Amino acid sequence: MAAEYFDTIHCWMPVLSRRRLYGLLLNPLSLQEPENALLLLSMTLITSIPDRPGNGSRLYHLTKEFYLAAQSTGCVTLQMVQAGILIALYELGHGIYPAAFLTIATSCRFGTMLGLDKLSAGDVTNTDREENIRVWWAVLIVDHALNLGTEGSHLCAPGPAPHDLLPMDDDDWDRSTTGSRELHRLSMPTELKAGRFARLVQATDLLGQGFRYLASLKTDTQPDFDGLGQLTRTIAALSNLAHAESLQRRIVFCCPIAWYPYDQYFTCRQLVVYESFH
């Protein structure tokens, strides 16, 4: 199960430490903890194919029951947040609403309780800290993806700050070489070397900017064309960079990098035209 997970889901949503997870599997006592068992069950769920159409499979309902039971015991750990992310991704992929919104909202609350939203603080040379950074970014990514149809009106957490840390290169992360990492922050130029997940983070930040622009159209009398132009140029630069990196480093990017910003960009343009004539 773990090998299948790391060969598939981990490639585009790398939020679990390979080293820590295999250490967990080698320790039978750790599996007695409900959050660890739930995490493994969630990994099994997201790599599974539903056994029936409709509102989820038997495994899905079992996982959700276990998830709610673990919450009722007062379990607030990193593994609970990770399990919630995987469950929400399953719900998003299979169109199980509004459960997906509620699951990621719970993960967001757990994350803030654990201090995961403090992306610019702490010892970033520590493997556990890098995992925390990735987990919180994953919460924001799924939250923004779910809000594509609502123009960001139901986001569970505020957008990232410019000084927030980006995830390290994915290859270094898998090799657990956090000690030699370069500190890249969200406000730094996009042309700096980064992995797939960091590019997805940058695309999600642009989506958040698109959400904020759409919100401003409802209150401002004059659209901010300069801001829209800057956002457009940044989107184009990230798209071109992602394409170049896919050729040079043979990095295959997940499709959200392509459709996150551009879907929101065209929506912005349509609304600007609409507001200009009404």
Side-chain angles (χ1 to χ4, degrees):
M1 177 271 298
E4 181 181 4
Y5 174 86
F6 282 110
D7 287 341
T8 54
I9 308 302
H10 182 77
C11 295
W12 54 271
M13 189 59 70
V15 296
L16 300 184
S17 167
R18 192 188 301 260
R19 176 187 59 80
R20 189 178 63 81
L21 183 71
Y22 279 114
L24 182 152
L25 292 174
L26 293 174
N27 182 5
L29 294 178
S30 66
L31 298 180
Q32 297 179 10
E33 300 296 331
E35 65 268 30
N36 293 333
L38 174 64
L39 179 59
L40 296 178
L41 187 60
S42 302
M43 293 169 61
T44 303
L45 172 67
I46 200 170
T47 55
S48 67
I49 298 175
D51 53 13
R52 62 183 179 186
N55 197 29
S57 64
R58 296 183 183 88
L59 178 59
Y60 165 71
H61 290 293
L62 174 63
T63 305
K64 284 301 292 277
E65 290 175 6
F66 197 177
Y67 184 52
L68 295 174
Q71 291 179 40
S72 67
T73 65
C75 184
V76 181
T77 63
L78 182 67
Q79 292 91 322
M80 285 290 292
V81 183
Q82 291 169 320
I85 292 169
L86 298 183
I87 294 171
L89 283 171
Y90 180 90
E91 292 168 335
L92 171 61
H94 293 277
I96 305 175
Y97 301 108
F101 286 95
L102 300 176
T103 303
I104 201 61
T106 302
S107 295
C108 180
R109 293 301 183 192
F110 282 170
T112 54
M113 291 172 66
L114 294 170
L116 301 183
D117 55 325
K118 306 299 188 295
L119 293 175
S120 60
D123 179 13
V124 295
T125 63
N126 183 281
T127 302
D128 293 338
R129 183 58 186 168
E130 172 67 21
E131 188 170 17
N132 292 348
I133 291 172
R134 286 171 172 265
V135 167
W136 183 249
W137 276 121
V139 170
L140 297 182
I141 289 169
V142 178
D143 190 24
H144 280 67
L146 284 168
N147 275 272
L148 273 171
T150 68
E151 300 176 5
S153 59
H154 301 300
L155 289 172
C156 300
H163 59 273
D164 285 342
L165 288 168
L166 290 174
M168 67 188 300
D169 187 82
D170 299 315
D171 293 336
D172 293 338
W173 161 245
D174 284 333
R175 291 192 295 264
S176 299
T177 55
T178 55
S180 60
R181 71 165 293 182
E182 296 181 46
L183 299 184
H184 292 168
R185 299 187 183 273
L186 190 59
S187 58
M188 290 183 175
T190 56
E191 62 266 18
L192 293 174
K193 177 186 175 183
R196 288 183 297 266
F197 193 57
R199 295 303 183 208
L200 182 55
V201 163
Q202 291 172 325
T204 302
D205 177 55
L206 294 179
L207 176 59
Q209 293 182 41
F211 285 156
R212 291 190 290 274
Y213 183 84
L214 290 173
S216 71
L217 293 178
K218 300 176 182 178
T219 57
D220 298 341
T221 57
Q222 180 64 34
D224 181 11
F225 290 105
D226 291 337
L228 178 61
Q230 179 60 49
L231 178 58
T232 303
R233 290 188 292 272
T234 307
I235 290 171
L238 181 60
S239 177
N240 293 334
L241 180 62
H243 177 67
E245 286 185 331
S246 68
L247 298 176
Q248 296 173 3
R249 301 180 60 194
R250 296 184 178 180
I251 294 177
V252 179
F253 287 99
C254 182
C255 58
I257 283 188
W259 58 259
Y260 266 14
Y262 276 105
D263 176 83
Q264 208 60 36
Y265 162 67
F266 286 119
T267 304
C268 288
R269 288 295 298 270
Q270 291 167 1
L271 286 178
V272 167
V273 172
Y274 177 83
E275 294 290 338
S276 299
F277 288 95
H278 289 76

